[in-house]
Amino acid sequence: MAEWPINDTASKVFPLYSRANVGEIFPDPISPLNASAGFQHNLEPGWRDAFVACRVWDHELYDATVDKNILPAFGSYLYINMSLMRLFGVRVPGMSPEAVDLQYFGDMPGIPSYDSEKRDFDENPEFEANAGAWLLDEVIGATGLPAYDADREEVRQIRAERPDMTNLTDQQLRERICSFDPLLRRLFKHHIEASLKSGVGLGAIAQIAAQVGKPEFALTLVSGIGDVDSTIPSKRMWTLSRAAQAPTVAAEFDHGVTGLYDRLASSTDPVVTAFRADLDAFLSDWDFRGPAEWEIRAQTWGVKPELALGTIDRMRQVDDAEAPDSKNAVRAQEREAAAATIREILASDPDVSAQFEATFHAAALWQRGRERARTTAAMVIHEIRLPARELGRRGVESGALDSIEQIFMLFADELDAYLADPTKFTATVREREKSYLELFDYKPPFVVAGEAPALDTWDRRSAATNSALNVGETITGVSGCTGIARGRARVLTSADDPSALEPGEILVAPITDPSWTPLFVAASAVVVDVGAPFSHAAIVSREIGIPCIVSATDATKRISDGALIEVNGATGTVTVLEA
């Protein structure tokens, strides 16, 4: 049994950790069962494997004195080891620690410099040569995503053959929860490899754009690339939202999202019945998606369909002109126009032209690969969630648990003892759940250098005070997608209630994970507290075709809900026009 809350030991060799980009996908905070049987348990070894596969070092480099080199938890909040990310930047030709910082930290204050932690062994000619070969062979030289496509087909087969959880014994459920380790380790390895390759491609494109005197093209060249998995639900929801405008379907939506799924199911109207069939097909494909979907305790669209229906309800009020495919097509045209300009500039230099074409292709390919791998892994996480929820349901039925979600307060090595006598854990899971829910009020430090500060010294979200911006004042972040938009700010801290966002408003969020993506269709722009051009909010905004500002520190605190603001995606600024 691990310490609770989870406090892993920090490495003294690689001492810098960050929350950068963590909130996009990482459980926040992580539950005991997910840490020991799901996300953290499998991502840590998968990430180690990914670095080795990128040829930047071998397994001997890792600090053997700690269990979690790359993904420790402090106060049950997960952190990325930025020392290792910077070391990756040192050893990959064309990269640098500073480039890694920009991609992951954005423009956050108080980040210790790389020189403050530089190690004697960081520069290594042998591994730098290996990484150079990897760069040419597997990043720039890649022509497709066969391993990622194979992963997807394998996982789709697992999902297609999913047994009825209610027919499994308790022991079979317990075995299924812990049966996906080898697969998840490989899927996470591929996800991290694609993420690293995507970062290299993004950096290389920016370098070429700067070298030809067109630095403003850096983001345009990676916008509107198409076939990005994380945007598919938005497009499917858009189609459903158009169907939801039919009078009989709209009448059901008009009665509110609560109970909507059951009302749709009980209707005998043929138009409603057809809509429900399309909705069920969508939910079958995307049952794993939802807020904090890589946390197995989280409720997803399959577990709670109202989460998806709430977003569809917002979309049905959006004008047809805002269709995501149409906006993506505009970004694709801009991308091709920028590429044509650079081709014209480089026309007299065949070698550099060829380098641009390869990099242009690789940057798009690995953004697709990153999102595909992320989505495939989330599918498998759902296959852990479902048997655990069934065990939780049985625990409630027997009186051992107060709610299904309390099953996630167990560590994996406690499952056998729980099955032997569930009532022995009733008090334990109640106490852990109480402390787990309290953890959400803690604000984890953005950076940990060395030892993590004690949990009781962390700021509390409920006590946070930030002065709101006045008219004419500006927050400056980092551009995630170009363009200018004006609209009312809608400050949301969770994607659980999409009804708060009106069409055309500007979404202001702490950070976004894939479940937020459909809201981008209704929004005219996106502003997030934390992130970088490499982050989820930026990638999706570039596909949906709306301006995006990331790393806008404390935007959710300093921008008043309902204020009229202007988002300038070129300059990275958010200006208050009217309180």
Side-chain angles (χ1 to χ4, degrees):
M1 183 186 73
E3 176 185 357
W4 180 255
I6 303 170
N7 285 294
D8 292 311
T9 303
S11 171
K12 297 186 183 303
V13 182
F14 306 110
L16 185 65
Y17 301 88
S18 174
R19 291 278 300 161
N21 286 0
V22 168
E24 292 184 349
I25 49 176
F26 290 9
D28 197 16
I30 194 166
S31 68
L33 190 58
N34 201 25
S36 55
F39 186 81
Q40 186 188 24
H41 175 67
N42 289 291
L43 181 53
E44 167 73 24
W47 204 322
R48 291 193 191 200
D49 294 344
F51 275 137
V52 173
C54 294
R55 310 183 207 173
V56 287
W57 53 73
D58 55 30
H59 282 286
E60 294 179 1
L61 176 108
Y62 297 117
D63 183 355
T65 66
V66 299
D67 292 331
K68 301 291 190 296
N69 268 246
I70 300 171
L71 197 70
F74 305 130
S76 295
Y77 280 84
L78 295 175
Y79 280 75
I80 295 175
N81 189 305
M82 288 304 298
S83 295
L84 289 167
M85 293 302 302
R86 285 172 161 180
L87 182 54
F88 175 85
V90 170
R91 294 191 177 180
V92 174
M95 291 287 286
S96 67
E98 292 73 26
V100 170
D101 282 0
L102 179 61
Q103 288 181 359
Y104 284 85
F105 287 129
D107 189 26
M108 300 299 292
I111 310 299
S113 69
Y114 166 65
D115 286 340
S116 68
E117 60 156 329
K118 185 175 180 181
R119 291 151 291 271
D120 293 339
F121 59 78
D122 282 8
E123 295 181 6
N124 184 301
E126 179 183 354
F127 280 111
E128 288 166 22
N130 292 342
W134 165 80
L135 178 62
L136 293 176
D137 297 342
E138 298 186 30
V139 184
I140 305 300
T143 58
L145 300 168
Y148 296 80
D149 294 338
D151 286 345
R152 176 60 54 84
E153 289 308 310
E154 179 180 355
V155 171
R156 280 178 172 165
Q157 189 64 31
I158 290 171
R159 285 164 57 80
E161 297 173 354
R162 178 195 298 158
D164 184 339
M165 299 300 155
T166 62
N167 291 334
L168 298 184
T169 66
D170 288 356
Q171 185 60 34
Q172 287 172 328
L173 292 169
R174 179 255 182 274
E175 290 171 358
R176 188 169 178 84
I177 289 169
C178 299
S179 67
F180 297 103
D181 286 3
L183 174 60
L184 265 179
R185 178 171 180 165
R186 184 201 341 137
L187 295 180
F188 282 138
K189 170 181 176 287
H190 287 167
H191 170 56
I192 297 301
E193 283 185 87
S195 295
L196 295 170
K197 292 173 180 178
S198 179
V200 170
L202 188 64
I205 280 290
Q207 287 180 12
I208 292 174
Q211 287 168 4
V212 300
K214 297 290 184 181
E216 68 276 13
F217 283 1
L219 293 179
T220 305
L221 290 166
V222 292
S223 299
I225 63 175
D227 193 24
V228 175
D229 281 10
S230 53
T231 65
I232 295 174
S234 300
K235 296 176 181 179
R236 293 272 300 271
M237 281 182 164
W238 177 262
T239 301
L240 287 167
S241 75
R242 300 305 92 181
Q245 293 176 340
T248 52
V249 181
E252 299 295 347
F253 272 87
D254 289 343
H255 282 97
V257 172
T258 301
L260 174 58
Y261 187 77
D262 291 336
R263 293 199 303 274
L264 293 170
S266 63
S267 175
T268 58
D269 180 89
V271 177
V272 175
T273 301
F275 176 84
R276 168 64 188 270
D278 291 341
L279 173 66
D280 284 343
F282 168 78
L283 292 174
S284 177
D285 291 340
W286 295 92
D287 57 350
F288 59 92
R289 183 118 295 171
E293 63 193 31
W294 278 4
E295 168 52 65
I296 58 176
R297 184 182 182 275
Q299 294 186 330
T300 62
W301 295 344
V303 173
K304 188 177 180 181
E306 287 79 7
L307 292 170
L309 286 166
T311 301
I312 294 169
D313 184 43
R314 291 296 89 190
M315 281 191 185
R316 73 188 179 103
Q317 302 172 38
V318 177
D319 190 86
D320 289 346
E322 300 301 313
D325 279 341
S326 299
K327 292 194 284 188
N328 176 266
V330 171
R331 292 293 180 174
Q333 292 172 358
E334 294 172 350
R335 177 174 180 260
E336 289 303 323
T341 299
I342 291 183
R343 289 183 181 119
E344 185 177 351
I345 294 171
L346 299 176
S348 61
D349 192 331
D351 290 339
V352 179
S353 294
Q355 180 185 2
F356 167 70
E357 295 298 342
T359 304
F360 183 57
H361 168 77
L365 179 71
W366 290 114
Q367 281 194 82
R368 294 189 188 106
R370 178 181 189 251
E371 296 303 300
R372 175 149 301 175
R374 177 207 297 259
T375 304
T376 302
M379 290 178 175
V380 178
I381 287 291
H382 194 56
E383 299 308 307
I384 299 175
R385 177 182 292 114
L386 293 177
R389 288 189 64 84
E390 175 59 20
L391 271 184
R393 186 192 67 79
R394 295 177 189 181
V396 172
E397 194 174 70
S398 71
L401 303 179
D402 301 325
S403 68
I404 289 174
E405 284 71 28
Q406 283 185 346
I407 195 72
F408 301 104
M409 295 299 103
L410 294 170
F411 286 96
D413 62 6
E414 297 173 322
L415 287 173
D416 288 332
Y418 169 81
L419 293 184
D421 186 356
T423 59
K424 283 188 176 180
F425 288 85
T426 300
T428 299
V429 296
R430 281 176 180 165
E431 186 60 31
R432 284 184 189 162
E433 184 178 55
K434 180 181 177 182
S435 65
Y436 173 77
L437 296 175
E438 288 175 351
L439 286 172
F440 283 88
D441 191 44
Y442 286 91
K443 187 175 181 181
F446 184 70
V447 171
V448 168
E451 293 297 322
L455 180 64
D456 60 10
T457 67
W458 293 11
D459 292 338
R460 302 294 286 258
R461 300 180 197 274
S462 57
T465 56
N466 291 84
S467 56
L469 294 176
N470 296 316
V471 173
E473 292 186 323
T474 294
I475 287 179
T476 300
V478 174
S479 177
C481 185
T482 57
I484 297 176
R486 289 187 175 189
R488 294 290 172 184
R490 188 58 58 213
V491 181
L492 300 180
T493 57
S494 169
D496 289 356
D497 182 17
S499 65
L501 180 73
E502 295 293 334
E505 292 182 333
I506 294 173
L507 174 62
V508 182
I511 199 164
T512 64
D513 66 22
S515 70
W516 291 77
T517 302
L519 290 179
F520 288 29
V521 175
S524 60
V526 175
V527 178
V528 292
D529 290 346
V530 178
F534 182 59
S535 61
H536 172 265
I539 291 174
V540 174
S541 293
R542 293 195 291 266
E543 288 305 294
I544 297 294
I546 57 175
C548 175
I549 306 296
V550 296
S551 200
T553 306
D554 290 328
T556 52
K557 298 291 190 295
R558 304 192 64 202
I559 296 175
S560 299
D561 189 56
L564 181 66
I565 61 175
E566 179 181 271
V567 174
N568 189 321
T571 61
T573 55
V574 185
T575 304
V576 175
L577 304 177
E578 178 184 301

